[in-house]
Coordinates of all heavy atoms in Angstrom, one line a residue:
M1 N -7.5 19.3 -9.7 CA -7.9 18.3 -10.7 C -7.1 18.5 -12.0 O -7.0 19.6 -12.5 CB -9.4 18.4 -10.9 CG -9.9 17.4 -11.9 SD -11.7 17.5 -12.1 CE -12.2 16.4 -10.8
A2 N -6.7 17.4 -12.5 CA -5.9 17.4 -13.8 C -6.8 17.8 -15.0 O -8.0 17.5 -15.0 CB -5.3 16.0 -14.1
I3 N -6.3 18.4 -15.9 CA -7.0 18.8 -17.1 C -7.2 17.5 -17.9 O -6.3 16.7 -18.2 CB -6.2 19.8 -18.0 CG1 -6.1 21.1 -17.2 CG2 -6.9 20.0 -19.3 CD1 -5.2 22.1 -17.9
K4 N -8.4 17.3 -18.3 CA -8.8 16.1 -19.1 C -8.8 16.4 -20.6 O -9.8 16.9 -21.1 CB -10.2 15.5 -18.6 CG -10.1 15.1 -17.2 CD -11.5 14.7 -16.7 CE -11.4 14.3 -15.3 NZ -12.7 14.0 -14.7
D5 N -7.7 16.2 -21.2 CA -7.6 16.5 -22.7 C -7.3 15.3 -23.5 O -7.0 15.4 -24.7 CB -6.6 17.6 -22.9 CG -5.2 17.2 -22.4 OD1 -5.0 16.1 -21.8 OD2 -4.3 18.0 -22.6
A6 N -7.3 14.1 -23.0 CA -7.1 12.9 -23.7 C -8.4 12.0 -23.7 O -9.2 12.2 -22.8 CB -5.9 12.1 -23.2
Y7 N -8.5 11.2 -24.7 CA -9.7 10.3 -24.6 C -9.4 8.9 -25.1 O -8.4 8.7 -25.8 CB -10.9 10.9 -25.5 CG -10.6 10.8 -27.0 CD1 -11.1 9.7 -27.7 CD2 -9.9 11.8 -27.6 CE1 -10.9 9.7 -29.1 CE2 -9.7 11.7 -29.0 CZ -10.2 10.7 -29.7 OH -10.0 10.6 -31.0
I8 N -10.2 8.0 -24.6 CA -10.1 6.6 -25.0 C -11.4 6.2 -25.5 O -12.4 6.4 -24.9 CB -9.7 5.7 -23.8 CG1 -8.3 6.2 -23.3 CG2 -9.6 4.2 -24.2 CD1 -7.9 5.5 -21.9
K9 N -11.4 5.6 -26.7 CA -12.7 5.1 -27.3 C -12.8 3.6 -27.0 O -11.9 2.8 -27.3 CB -12.7 5.4 -28.8 CG -14.0 5.2 -29.4 CD -13.9 5.7 -30.9 CE -15.3 5.8 -31.5 NZ -15.2 6.3 -32.8
V10 N -13.9 3.2 -26.4 CA -14.1 1.8 -26.0 C -15.4 1.2 -26.7 O -16.4 1.9 -26.6 CB -14.2 1.6 -24.5 CG1 -14.4 0.2 -24.1 CG2 -12.9 2.2 -23.9
R11 N -15.3 0.0 -27.2 CA -16.5 -0.6 -27.7 C -16.9 -1.7 -26.7 O -16.1 -2.5 -26.2 CB -16.2 -1.3 -29.1 CG -15.9 -0.2 -30.1 CD -15.7 -0.9 -31.5 NE -16.9 -1.5 -32.0 CZ -17.9 -0.9 -32.7 NH1 -17.8 0.4 -32.9 NH2 -18.9 -1.6 -33.1
V12 N -18.2 -1.7 -26.4 CA -18.8 -2.7 -25.4 C -20.0 -3.3 -26.1 O -20.6 -2.8 -27.0 CB -19.1 -2.0 -24.1 CG1 -17.9 -1.5 -23.4 CG2 -20.2 -0.9 -24.2
S13 N -20.4 -4.4 -25.5 CA -21.7 -5.0 -26.0 C -22.9 -4.2 -25.5 O -22.7 -3.4 -24.5 CB -21.8 -6.5 -25.4 OG -22.0 -6.5 -24.0
K14 N -24.0 -4.5 -26.1 CA -25.2 -3.8 -25.7 C -25.5 -4.1 -24.2 O -26.0 -3.3 -23.4 CB -26.4 -4.2 -26.6 CG -26.3 -3.6 -27.9 CD -27.5 -4.1 -28.8 CE -27.3 -3.6 -30.2 NZ -28.3 -4.1 -31.1
E15 N -25.3 -5.4 -23.8 CA -25.6 -5.8 -22.4 C -24.7 -5.1 -21.5 O -25.1 -4.7 -20.4 CB -25.4 -7.3 -22.3 CG -26.4 -8.1 -23.1 CD -26.1 -8.3 -24.6 OE1 -25.0 -8.0 -25.0 OE2 -27.0 -8.7 -25.3
Q16 N -23.4 -4.9 -21.8 CA -22.5 -4.2 -20.9 C -22.9 -2.8 -20.8 O -22.9 -2.2 -19.7 CB -21.0 -4.3 -21.5 CG -20.4 -5.6 -21.3 CD -19.1 -5.7 -22.1 OE1 -18.9 -5.3 -23.2 NE2 -18.1 -6.2 -21.4
K17 N -23.2 -2.1 -21.9 CA -23.7 -0.7 -21.8 C -24.9 -0.6 -20.9 O -25.0 0.3 -20.1 CB -23.9 -0.2 -23.2 CG -24.3 1.3 -23.2 CD -24.5 1.9 -24.6 CE -24.9 3.3 -24.5 NZ -25.2 3.9 -25.8
K18 N -25.8 -1.5 -21.1 CA -27.1 -1.5 -20.3 C -26.7 -1.6 -18.8 O -27.3 -0.9 -17.9 CB -28.0 -2.6 -20.7 CG -29.3 -2.6 -20.1 CD -30.2 -3.7 -20.7 CE -31.5 -3.8 -19.9 NZ -32.4 -4.8 -20.5
L19 N -25.8 -2.5 -18.5 CA -25.4 -2.7 -17.1 C -24.7 -1.5 -16.5 O -25.0 -1.0 -15.4 CB -24.5 -3.9 -17.0 CG -23.9 -4.2 -15.6 CD1 -24.9 -4.6 -14.6 CD2 -22.8 -5.4 -15.8
F20 N -23.8 -0.9 -17.3 CA -23.0 0.3 -16.9 C -24.0 1.4 -16.6 O -23.9 2.2 -15.6 CB -22.0 0.7 -17.9 CG -20.9 -0.3 -18.2 CD1 -20.2 -0.3 -19.4 CD2 -20.6 -1.3 -17.2 CE1 -19.3 -1.3 -19.6 CE2 -19.6 -2.3 -17.5 CZ -18.9 -2.2 -18.7
K21 N -24.9 1.6 -17.5 CA -25.9 2.7 -17.4 C -26.8 2.5 -16.2 O -27.0 3.5 -15.4 CB -26.8 2.8 -18.7 CG -27.7 3.9 -18.7 CD -28.5 4.0 -20.0 CE -29.4 5.2 -20.0 NZ -30.1 5.4 -21.3
K22 N -27.2 1.3 -15.9 CA -28.1 1.0 -14.8 C -27.4 1.3 -13.5 O -27.9 2.0 -12.6 CB -28.5 -0.5 -14.8 CG -29.4 -0.9 -13.6 CD -29.7 -2.3 -13.7 CE -30.5 -2.7 -12.4 NZ -31.0 -4.1 -12.5
V23 N -26.1 0.8 -13.4 CA -25.4 1.1 -12.1 C -25.1 2.6 -11.9 O -25.2 3.1 -10.8 CB -24.1 0.2 -12.1 CG1 -23.2 0.6 -10.9 CG2 -24.4 -1.3 -12.1
A24 N -24.7 3.2 -13.0 CA -24.4 4.7 -12.9 C -25.7 5.4 -12.5 O -25.6 6.3 -11.6 CB -23.9 5.2 -14.3
E25 N -26.8 5.1 -13.0 CA -28.1 5.7 -12.6 C -28.4 5.5 -11.2 O -28.8 6.4 -10.4 CB -29.2 5.3 -13.5 CG -29.2 5.9 -14.9 CD -30.2 5.3 -15.8 OE1 -30.9 4.3 -15.5 OE2 -30.3 5.8 -17.0
L26 N -28.2 4.2 -10.7 CA -28.5 3.9 -9.3 C -27.5 4.7 -8.4 O -27.9 5.0 -7.2 CB -28.3 2.4 -9.1 CG -29.4 1.5 -9.7 CD1 -29.0 0.0 -9.6 CD2 -30.7 1.8 -9.0
K27 N -26.3 4.9 -8.8 CA -25.3 5.6 -8.0 C -25.5 7.2 -8.1 O -24.9 7.9 -7.4 CB -23.9 5.2 -8.4 CG -23.6 3.8 -7.9 CD -22.2 3.4 -8.3 CE -21.1 4.2 -7.6 NZ -20.7 3.7 -6.3
G28 N -26.2 7.6 -9.1 CA -26.4 9.0 -9.3 C -25.2 9.7 -10.0 O -24.9 10.9 -9.7
I29 N -24.5 8.9 -10.8 CA -23.3 9.5 -11.5 C -23.5 9.1 -13.0 O -24.3 8.4 -13.4 CB -22.0 8.9 -11.0 CG1 -22.0 7.4 -11.1 CG2 -21.8 9.3 -9.5 CD1 -20.7 6.7 -10.6
T30 N -22.6 9.7 -13.8 CA -22.6 9.4 -15.2 C -21.9 8.1 -15.5 O -21.1 7.6 -14.7 CB -21.9 10.5 -16.0 OG1 -20.5 10.5 -15.7 CG2 -22.5 11.9 -15.8
M31 N -22.2 7.5 -16.7 CA -21.4 6.3 -17.1 C -19.9 6.6 -17.1 O -19.1 5.7 -16.8 CB -21.9 5.8 -18.4 CG -23.1 4.9 -18.3 SD -23.4 3.9 -19.7 CE -23.4 5.0 -21.1
I32 N -19.6 7.8 -17.6 CA -18.2 8.1 -17.7 C -17.5 8.1 -16.4 O -16.4 7.6 -16.2 CB -18.0 9.5 -18.4 CG1 -18.5 9.4 -19.9 CG2 -16.5 9.9 -18.4 CD1 -17.8 8.4 -20.8
E33 N -18.2 8.7 -15.4 CA -17.7 8.8 -14.0 C -17.5 7.3 -13.5 O -16.5 7.0 -12.8 CB -18.6 9.6 -13.1 CG -18.5 11.1 -13.4 CD -19.6 11.9 -12.7 OE1 -20.7 11.3 -12.5 OE2 -19.3 13.0 -12.3
L34 N -18.5 6.5 -13.7 CA -18.5 5.1 -13.3 C -17.3 4.4 -13.9 O -16.5 3.7 -13.2 CB -19.8 4.4 -13.6 CG -19.8 2.9 -13.3 CD1 -20.0 2.7 -11.8 CD2 -21.0 2.3 -14.0
L35 N -17.2 4.5 -15.2 CA -16.2 3.7 -15.9 C -14.7 4.2 -15.6 O -13.8 3.4 -15.4 CB -16.4 3.7 -17.4 CG -17.7 3.0 -17.8 CD1 -18.0 3.2 -19.3 CD2 -17.7 1.5 -17.5
V36 N -14.6 5.5 -15.7 CA -13.2 6.1 -15.4 C -12.8 5.8 -14.0 O -11.7 5.4 -13.7 CB -13.2 7.6 -15.8 CG1 -11.8 8.2 -15.3 CG2 -13.3 7.8 -17.3
G37 N -13.7 6.1 -13.0 CA -13.4 5.9 -11.6 C -13.1 4.4 -11.3 O -12.1 4.1 -10.6
G38 N -14.0 3.5 -11.8 CA -13.8 2.1 -11.6 C -12.5 1.6 -12.2 O -11.8 0.8 -11.6
T39 N -12.2 2.0 -13.4 CA -11.0 1.6 -14.1 C -9.8 2.1 -13.4 O -8.8 1.4 -13.2 CB -11.0 2.1 -15.6 OG1 -12.2 1.6 -16.2 CG2 -9.8 1.7 -16.3
E40 N -9.8 3.4 -13.0 CA -8.6 3.9 -12.3 C -8.4 3.1 -11.0 O -7.2 2.8 -10.6 CB -8.8 5.4 -12.0 CG -7.6 6.0 -11.3 CD -7.7 7.5 -11.2 OE1 -8.9 8.1 -11.2 OE2 -6.7 8.2 -11.0
E41 N -9.4 2.9 -10.2 CA -9.3 2.1 -9.0 C -8.6 0.7 -9.2 O -7.7 0.3 -8.5 CB -10.6 1.9 -8.3 CG -11.2 3.1 -7.6 CD -12.6 2.9 -7.1 OE1 -13.0 1.8 -6.9 OE2 -13.3 3.9 -6.8
R42 N -9.1 0.1 -10.3 CA -8.6 -1.3 -10.6 C -7.2 -1.2 -11.0 O -6.3 -2.0 -10.6 CB -9.5 -1.9 -11.7 CG -9.0 -3.2 -12.3 CD -9.1 -4.3 -11.3 NE -8.5 -5.5 -11.8 CZ -9.2 -6.5 -12.4 NH1 -10.5 -6.4 -12.7 NH2 -8.5 -7.6 -12.8
V43 N -6.8 -0.2 -11.9 CA -5.5 -0.1 -12.3 C -4.5 0.2 -11.2 O -3.4 -0.4 -11.1 CB -5.4 1.0 -13.4 CG1 -3.9 1.4 -13.7 CG2 -6.1 0.5 -14.7
L44 N -4.9 1.0 -10.3 CA -4.1 1.3 -9.1 C -3.8 0.1 -8.2 O -2.7 -0.1 -7.7 CB -4.6 2.5 -8.3 CG -4.6 3.8 -9.0 CD1 -5.4 4.9 -8.2 CD2 -3.2 4.3 -9.2
R45 N -4.9 -0.7 -8.1 CA -4.7 -2.0 -7.3 C -3.8 -2.9 -8.0 O -2.9 -3.5 -7.4 CB -6.1 -2.7 -7.1 CG -6.9 -2.1 -6.0 CD -8.1 -3.0 -5.6 NE -8.8 -3.6 -6.7 CZ -9.9 -3.1 -7.2 NH1 -10.4 -1.9 -6.8 NH2 -10.6 -3.6 -8.2
E46 N -3.9 -3.0 -9.3 CA -3.0 -3.9 -10.1 C -1.6 -3.4 -10.0 O -0.7 -4.2 -9.9 CB -3.5 -4.0 -11.6 CG -4.8 -4.7 -11.7 CD -4.8 -6.2 -11.3 OE1 -3.8 -6.9 -11.5 OE2 -5.8 -6.6 -10.7
L47 N -1.4 -2.1 -10.2 CA -0.1 -1.5 -10.1 C 0.5 -1.8 -8.7 O 1.7 -2.2 -8.6 CB -0.1 0.0 -10.3 CG 1.2 0.7 -10.4 CD1 2.1 0.1 -11.4 CD2 1.0 2.2 -10.5
D48 N -0.3 -1.7 -7.7 CA 0.2 -2.0 -6.3 C 0.6 -3.4 -6.2 O 1.7 -3.7 -5.6 CB -0.9 -1.6 -5.3 CG -0.3 -1.7 -3.9 OD1 0.7 -1.1 -3.6 OD2 -1.0 -2.3 -3.0
K49 N -0.1 -4.3 -6.8 CA 0.2 -5.8 -6.7 C 1.5 -6.0 -7.5 O 2.4 -6.7 -7.0 CB -0.9 -6.6 -7.4 CG -2.1 -6.8 -6.6 CD -3.0 -7.7 -7.4 CE -4.4 -7.7 -7.0 NZ -5.3 -8.5 -7.8
I50 N 1.7 -5.4 -8.7 CA 2.9 -5.6 -9.5 C 4.1 -5.0 -8.8 O 5.1 -5.7 -8.7 CB 2.7 -5.0 -10.9 CG1 1.6 -5.7 -11.7 CG2 4.0 -4.9 -11.6 CD1 1.1 -5.0 -12.9
E51 N 4.0 -3.8 -8.3 CA 5.1 -3.2 -7.6 C 5.4 -3.9 -6.3 O 6.6 -4.1 -6.0 CB 4.8 -1.7 -7.4 CG 4.9 -0.9 -8.7 CD 4.6 0.5 -8.5 OE1 4.0 0.9 -7.5 OE2 4.9 1.3 -9.4
G52 N 4.4 -4.4 -5.6 CA 4.6 -5.1 -4.4 C 5.4 -6.4 -4.7 O 6.3 -6.8 -4.0
T53 N 5.0 -7.1 -5.8 CA 5.6 -8.3 -6.1 C 7.1 -8.1 -6.5 O 7.9 -8.8 -6.2 CB 4.9 -9.0 -7.3 OG1 3.5 -9.2 -6.9 CG2 5.5 -10.3 -7.8
K54 N 7.3 -7.0 -7.3 CA 8.7 -6.7 -7.7 C 9.5 -6.4 -6.4 O 10.7 -6.8 -6.4 CB 8.7 -5.5 -8.6 CG 8.3 -5.7 -10.0 CD 8.4 -4.5 -10.9 CE 7.9 -4.8 -12.3 NZ 8.0 -3.6 -13.1
S55 N 9.0 -5.7 -5.4 CA 9.7 -5.5 -4.2 C 10.1 -6.8 -3.5 O 11.2 -6.9 -3.0 CB 8.9 -4.6 -3.3 OG 8.8 -3.3 -3.8
L56 N 9.1 -7.7 -3.5 CA 9.4 -9.0 -2.9 C 10.5 -9.8 -3.6 O 11.4 -10.4 -3.0 CB 8.1 -9.8 -2.8 CG 7.1 -9.3 -1.8 CD1 5.8 -10.2 -1.9 CD2 7.6 -9.4 -0.4
E57 N 10.4 -9.7 -5.0 CA 11.4 -10.4 -5.8 C 12.8 -9.8 -5.6 O 13.8 -10.5 -5.7 CB 11.0 -10.3 -7.2 CG 9.8 -11.2 -7.6 CD 9.2 -11.0 -9.0 OE1 9.8 -10.1 -9.7 OE2 8.3 -11.6 -9.4
L58 N 12.9 -8.5 -5.4 CA 14.2 -7.8 -5.3 C 14.7 -7.9 -3.9 O 15.8 -7.5 -3.6 CB 14.0 -6.4 -5.7 CG 13.7 -6.1 -7.2 CD1 13.5 -4.7 -7.5 CD2 14.8 -6.7 -8.1
G59 N 13.8 -8.4 -3.0 CA 14.3 -8.5 -1.6 C 14.3 -7.2 -0.8 O 15.0 -7.0 0.1
D60 N 13.5 -6.2 -1.3 CA 13.4 -4.9 -0.6 C 12.6 -4.9 0.6 O 11.7 -5.6 0.8 CB 12.7 -3.8 -1.6 CG 13.6 -3.5 -2.8 OD1 14.8 -3.8 -2.7 OD2 13.1 -3.0 -3.8

């Protein structure tokens, strides 16, 4: 596992925080685990779409 020595500060609405907290509790994980894990999954999907599109554009 990579060393976690960087941080990102995010501002959210009270409603968003309440939702994130509820889902994290239901899953039995921390809000940080929920947000970081979900964000990483989304970013990897987006990257795959972008790189896949570039490959199609380049004719690879």
Side-chain angles (χ1 to χ4, degrees):
M1 178 180 272
I3 296 173
K4 297 177 183 176
D5 60 356
Y7 70 95
I8 300 171
K9 193 172 189 176
V10 178
R11 295 185 62 87
V12 298
S13 69
K14 290 178 184 177
E15 293 80 14
Q16 288 173 313
K17 183 178 178 181
K18 186 176 175 181
L19 176 63
F20 299 155
K21 185 175 182 179
K22 178 181 178 178
V23 173
E25 287 174 354
L26 290 170
K27 291 180 64 87
I29 60 176
T30 66
M31 275 199 308
I32 296 300
E33 291 169 324
L34 176 73
L35 295 172
V36 171
T39 302
E40 184 175 19
E41 288 175 17
R42 173 70 187 265
V43 167
L44 291 172
R45 281 196 312 269
E46 292 298 323
L47 183 60
D48 189 48
K49 285 183 197 176
I50 293 166
E51 290 179 342
T53 301
K54 284 183 180 177
S55 292
L56 292 174
E57 290 172 359
L58 297 174
D60 291 342

